[in-house]
């Protein structure tokens, strides 16, 4: 409403960039949570756990700095050759892309500390931090645009400041929960030897999932102009609410599944999994069906923009139903991950990716956002019914 569709397309482009840079994570961030869960279960000692965390701090700090600088150095090329704007000035877009590099830089270290708090089952603290930061982002962003400036560069500068606040806050809470006793100031790469096998599987799965979930957004950012891309991302944000609602459940389940598997409590783990799949079905599919049946009035009530509602409503049903299906697949993966046996998920995702990636490219190129949405829903439904 304040920024306009083109500037909102820049925000969407940042979201897509952040997701693609996760390919460089190499599966390390998801392994922090189970390692600290095993520490709580008494399987590994505090010194080993602290050494692993310190080593990953160095790796992710360097990785974040390199990625941020890459975006900054390529900002001119991205502005001139990738983004298609009709109204935004080149200089304004260049400033925004440069600040995108600063927003991407701390992402991995923040993810490391979030994973650590999850593994320590400090879910309440983590959620309080997330709620406070989300409130600052939304209400602070609204106040900025309403009372001060509607320049996209001003909005990105505000988000850059919040990224620094988030890094400092998450790091402080993590160190209070896990004081890192016995860890050296310097990295010890040998400490990662025990988690490399699981990390390798996670790196492959995480990379494949980034490619699967972001191929359509990457192609559409090239095919569509920024205005239409902004409309598309309105539907993505609304459909993504289904995945956001499933995150708290997954956060609570992952460390508990790992602990139950480590203690050979198979009956309790099975019962917990079955209960949670029923809760997920009841919640996720109810929301997805409502979004599908009432897409246009729902978007109209949210945005107050008839053009946005008309265009985004064509895409929303397919992505809402597809996201509901992925929540069930995610719960099955948590069980496999808890036992350290992810090979079936690797095989299944390879088959899915082999169909989805070319399918998404062809559908997005020829039928735009709606075509990509149809392939997303049908592909995930087939994975659920015939593989999971």
């Amino acid at each position: 409403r304040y920024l306009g569709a083109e500037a909102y397309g820049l925000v969407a482009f940042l979201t897509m960039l952040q997701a693609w840079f996760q390919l460089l994570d190499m599966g390390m961030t998801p392994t922090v949570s189970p390692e600290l869960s095993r520490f709580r279960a008494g399987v590994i000692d505090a010194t080993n756990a602290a050494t692993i965390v310190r080593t990953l701090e160095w790796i992710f700090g360097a990785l974040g700095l390199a990625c941020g600088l890459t975006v900054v150095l390529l900002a001119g090329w991205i502005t001139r050759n990738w983004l298609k704007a009709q109204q935004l000035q080149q200089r304004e877009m260049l400033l925004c892309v440069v600040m995108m590099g600063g927003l991407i830089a701390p992402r991995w270290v923040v993810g490391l500390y979030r994973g650590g708090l999850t593994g320590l089952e400090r879910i309440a603290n983590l959620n309080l931090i997330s709620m406070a930061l989300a409130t600052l982002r939304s209400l602070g962003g609204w106040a900025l645009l309403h009372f001060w400036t509607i320049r996209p560069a001003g909005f990105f500068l505000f988000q850059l400041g919040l990224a620094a606040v988030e890094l400092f806050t998450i790091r402080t809470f993590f160190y209070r929960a896990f004081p890192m006793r016995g860890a050296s100031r310097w990295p010890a790469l040998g400490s990662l030897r025990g988690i490399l096998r699981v990390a390798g599987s996670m790196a492959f799965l995480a990379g494949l999932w980034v490619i699967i979930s972001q191929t359509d957004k990457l192609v559409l950012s090239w095919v569509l102009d920024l205005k239409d891309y902004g409309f598309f991302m309105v539907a993505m944000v609304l459909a993504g609410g289904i995945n956001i609602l499933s995150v708290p459940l997954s956060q609570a389940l992952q460390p508990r599944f790992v602990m139950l598997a480590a203690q050979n409590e198979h009956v309790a783990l099975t019962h917990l999994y079955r209960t949670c799949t029923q809760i997920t079905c009841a919640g996720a599919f109810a929301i997805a069906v409502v979004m599908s049946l009432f897409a246009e009035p729902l978007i109209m009530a949210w945005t107050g923009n008839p053009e946005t509602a008309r265009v985004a409503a064509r895409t929303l049903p397919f992505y809402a139903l597809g996201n509901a299906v992925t929540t069930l697949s995610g719960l099955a993966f948590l069980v496999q991950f808890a036992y350290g046996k992810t090979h079936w998920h690797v095989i299944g995702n390879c088959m899915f990716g082999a169909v989805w990636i070319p399918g998404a490219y062809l559908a997005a190129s020829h039928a735009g956002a709606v075509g990509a949405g149809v392939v997303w829903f049908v592909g995930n439904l087939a994975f659920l019914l015939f593989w999971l």
Side-chain angles (χ1 to χ4, degrees), residues 132-209:
L133 290 169
T135 303
L136 281 173
R137 281 196 180 95
S138 56
L139 294 184
W142 170 82
L144 174 82
L145 297 172
H146 185 75
F147 294 109
W148 186 26
T149 179
I150 58 172
R151 283 185 59 187
F155 179 78
F156 277 95
L157 182 61
F158 174 74
Q159 299 298 326
L160 188 61
L162 281 182
V165 171
E166 180 181 24
L167 176 60
F168 174 78
T169 305
I170 291 284
R171 184 179 185 275
T172 300
F173 272 80
F174 175 76
Y175 274 25
R176 287 179 179 177
F178 188 67
M180 300 283 288
R181 295 188 183 93
S184 169
R185 290 186 177 184
W186 304 103
L189 296 178
S191 64
L192 302 180
R193 191 174 296 111
I195 64 173
L196 286 179
R197 184 182 65 84
V198 175
S201 297
M202 287 302 301
F204 182 80
L205 283 172
L208 183 59
W209 181 247

Side-chain angles (χ1 to χ4, degrees), residues 19-86:
W20 276 98
F21 272 114
Q22 287 299 109
L23 283 171
L24 302 177
D25 183 286
M26 302 303 291
M28 290 297 182
T29 297
T31 62
V32 175
S33 179
E35 288 305 305
L36 292 180
S37 295
R38 293 186 181 97
F39 157 71
R40 292 189 70 250
V43 177
I44 63 174
D45 60 40
T47 300
N48 288 337
T51 303
I52 291 171
V53 173
R54 178 54 48 78
T55 303
L56 292 178
E57 281 180 330
W58 276 92
I59 293 174
F60 288 144
L63 189 62
L65 185 61
C67 292
L69 287 174
T70 300
V71 173
V72 171
L73 293 174
L74 292 177
W77 182 86
I78 293 171
T79 303
R80 292 189 303 270
N81 300 293
W82 189 276
L83 300 175
K84 300 176 178 65
Q86 304 297 324

Side-chain angles (χ1 to χ4, degrees), residues 114 117-118 122-134 170 247-249 251-252:
R114 284 185 176 274
L117 287 171
T118 301
R122 300 298 177 94
I123 306 299
N125 289 340
L126 184 58
N127 287 340
L128 283 173
I129 297 169
S130 299
M131 290 164 59
L133 290 169
I170 291 284
V247 168
L249 187 63
Q251 281 183 334

